[in-house]
Structure formats: structure tokens, C-alpha cells
Amino acid sequence: MGGGPVPGPGGPVPRPGSVVAAGVLGLLLAAYTLVYALLLFSAVSISLGYAVVGAVFLGISGLAAVGAVQTLLGRGSRLLTAGGAAFALLTGLGLVTALVTGSVGLWPVVLLAVGVAVAVLPNRPASRSWFAAVRERR
């Protein structure tokens, strides 16, 4: 379970930087969405809609956390990609809403970039070949 290359009969297979970056960003995304979900749950007394949105962000947090661990261990990236894509979609909707109201800041753009990176990095060719090499060695 170490952080280095995956050993195997043909020698170690080095983990690409895109896999490491996706895993680390996935863990950060999981932490951010967990805190955001907890904040939304604390506002449930204002409106029940906050509970629904909080549950969605809690689900994204779980997808990102489990997916990041699986990605870093070389067991696949489907959960991480799904969590990143869902987060990017919701952040994109929020960014469009902010554009319409005229109150766009830098933070939504950064969050959108993180969501897209988490969804795209594990699907790069180097990442895919690493996952395939790890799968063959098991």
C-alpha cells in the first residue's frame, strides 16, 4: 500500500503524475464537499432544500474519497471520475447562475477547474496504461 511504483514480475511500474494529481485533488474535493454538505445540513431549519443539496454533496464526497483511494492504489478511477464530473456539473451550473446575476468570483472558476481535472486526469493515456499494467500484475 505504499506510495511508490507497483512491483511486479516485469519490474516496477511507475505511477504517473496524472494519477497522483487526480488522487490528491480527489481527496481535497472530498474534504471540501464534506464540509460544504455539513454546512448545508446545519441550514436545514431554513429550508428543506438545503438537506437535499447537502445529501447530493455528501454523495459526491463519498465518491471522491473512495475513488481517490482506489485511484491511488491502482484499482480503477470510475468512482473518482464520476465524483469529479458531478461536482464539475454542479459547479458549472452555479457559475452560469452567477454569470446571469452578475456576481462571478474567482472561487467558482477554481472549483470548476478542480472538478474537471479530477474527472479528466485519470483518463489520460498514461493513466489508462498504468491502470492496465497494474490490473495485469494482479
Side-chain angles (χ1 to χ4, degrees):
M1 276 202 217
V6 176
V13 178
R15 183 179 289 122
S18 58
V19 170
V20 174
V24 170
L25 286 174
L27 290 173
L28 290 173
L29 178 67
Y32 176 80
T33 53
L34 177 63
V35 169
Y36 194 68
L38 293 175
L39 289 173
L40 287 169
F41 284 134
S42 68
V44 167
S45 62
I46 298 171
S47 171
L48 189 58
Y50 287 121
V52 173
V53 177
V56 169
F57 275 97
L58 190 61
I60 291 172
S61 178
L63 280 174
V66 173
V69 171
Q70 284 183 344
T71 298
L72 290 172
L73 292 176
R75 295 198 172 130
S77 62
R78 289 183 185 154
L79 293 178
L80 183 61
T81 300
F87 183 75
L89 177 69
L90 290 176
T91 305
L93 289 173
L95 188 60
V96 168
T97 303
L99 282 170
V100 169
T101 61
S103 61
V104 178
L106 181 61
W107 189 241
V109 176
V110 170
L111 291 177
L112 180 63
V114 168
V116 169
V118 166
V120 169
L121 286 174
N123 294 308
R124 293 184 47 94
S127 301
R128 286 180 171 272
S129 63
W130 182 75
F131 287 126
V134 171
R135 204 173 309 119
E136 287 176 13
R137 296 186 186 282
R138 290 195 178 149

